[in-house]
Amino acid sequence: MMEKKYELVAWTKNITDEQNARLYVLPSVEIDLLEPLITEVNECYRLKKENNGYINLELARRFIKVYEQSARLDIFTGHIDSGIRFLLQAADYCIYEELLYEFEKFCEEAIALTRKHGFEYILQEERPKQTLDRYLEHLQGKRERKSDGCIRFADRAQIH
């Protein structure tokens, strides 16, 4: 009779705690998980080049989706710093008015993760800093437009 051999290739920790859940995988498995994301990013860039650099709403959504998926995978596998960068890359593609909510959400999550895990240096890197500068400009504009006596957007952050 042949003896079966098994190899542990992945395991989880704190899976019921969404904030601290982790997936641990062997490097070869991690590459397998990354492969479809890399393929999709390459396809998005090919389409962007094919359209002479123009990014329509559909392509923007594809970029956003793949960068958010990359962020989620990195965060889940404990690569928080890379996850933060990917969240901000996703935010960079929220270039249409109907994507402003997502822009805010990605920036706020990146800032929260940065503070929680002590990765403030990431926010000083050129690309993340540009994204956050846009976010701060957006908040300033939002505050200026809000004048109906309700709690301003900036005040909500202080409430939590």
Side-chain angles (χ1 to χ4, degrees), residues 6 15 22 24 28 30 36 51-52 64 70 73-74 76-77 110-111 119 130-132 136 140 144-146 148 152 154:
Y6 298 93
I15 200 67
R22 293 287 174 264
Y24 299 92
S28 61
E30 191 166 1
N51 291 326
N52 297 316
I64 292 165
S70 298
L73 179 61
D74 276 350
F76 195 41
T77 56
I111 292 167
F119 290 125
Q130 289 173 351
T131 305
L132 290 176
L136 293 174
Q140 183 62 36
E144 290 170 1
R145 289 186 302 273
K146 190 74 171 171
D148 61 6
R152 292 188 338 252

Side-chain angles (χ1 to χ4, degrees), residues 40-55:
E40 176 63 4
V41 167
N42 287 334
E43 177 63 10
C44 288
Y45 277 106
R46 186 191 68 73
L47 291 170
K48 179 181 173 183
K49 184 177 179 181
E50 189 176 281
N51 291 326
N52 297 316
Y54 177 73
I55 300 172

Side-chain angles (χ1 to χ4, degrees), residues 70-85:
S70 298
R72 301 285 169 233
L73 179 61
D74 276 350
I75 292 165
F76 195 41
T77 56
H79 305 294
I80 308 297
D81 53 344
S82 294
I84 293 167
R85 289 182 186 98

Side-chain angles (χ1 to χ4, degrees), residues 52-66:
N52 297 316
Y54 177 73
I55 300 172
N56 62 22
L57 180 60
E58 179 186 342
L59 185 54
R61 288 185 192 279
R62 283 182 72 173
F63 269 115
I64 292 165
K65 182 179 178 182
V66 72

Side-chain angles (χ1 to χ4, degrees), residues 87-140:
L87 286 171
L88 294 172
Q89 278 188 275
D92 285 340
Y93 286 93
C94 297
I95 55 178
Y96 290 92
E97 186 74 25
E98 56 264 56
L99 300 173
L100 279 179
Y101 171 78
E102 285 88 351
F103 177 74
E104 291 175 4
K105 180 183 77 160
F106 293 133
C107 290
E108 290 167 5
E109 184 177 355
I111 292 167
L113 285 169
T114 297
R115 288 180 179 152
K116 179 179 179 182
H117 296 282
F119 290 125
E120 286 83 2
Y121 67 90
I122 292 173
L123 303 182
Q124 298 306 313
E125 295 172 359
E126 185 178 346
R127 190 166 181 177
K129 188 172 181 349
Q130 289 173 351
T131 305
L132 290 176
D133 286 347
R134 281 186 33 236
Y135 173 67
L136 293 174
E137 288 172 16
H138 167 72
L139 288 182
Q140 183 62 36

Side-chain angles (χ1 to χ4, degrees), residues 7-24:
E7 179 182 5
L8 182 63
V9 296
W11 62 98
T12 59
K13 183 178 179 185
N14 299 329
I15 200 67
T16 57
D17 179 4
E18 187 176 322
Q19 295 294 320
N20 297 307
R22 293 287 174 264
L23 172 66
Y24 299 92

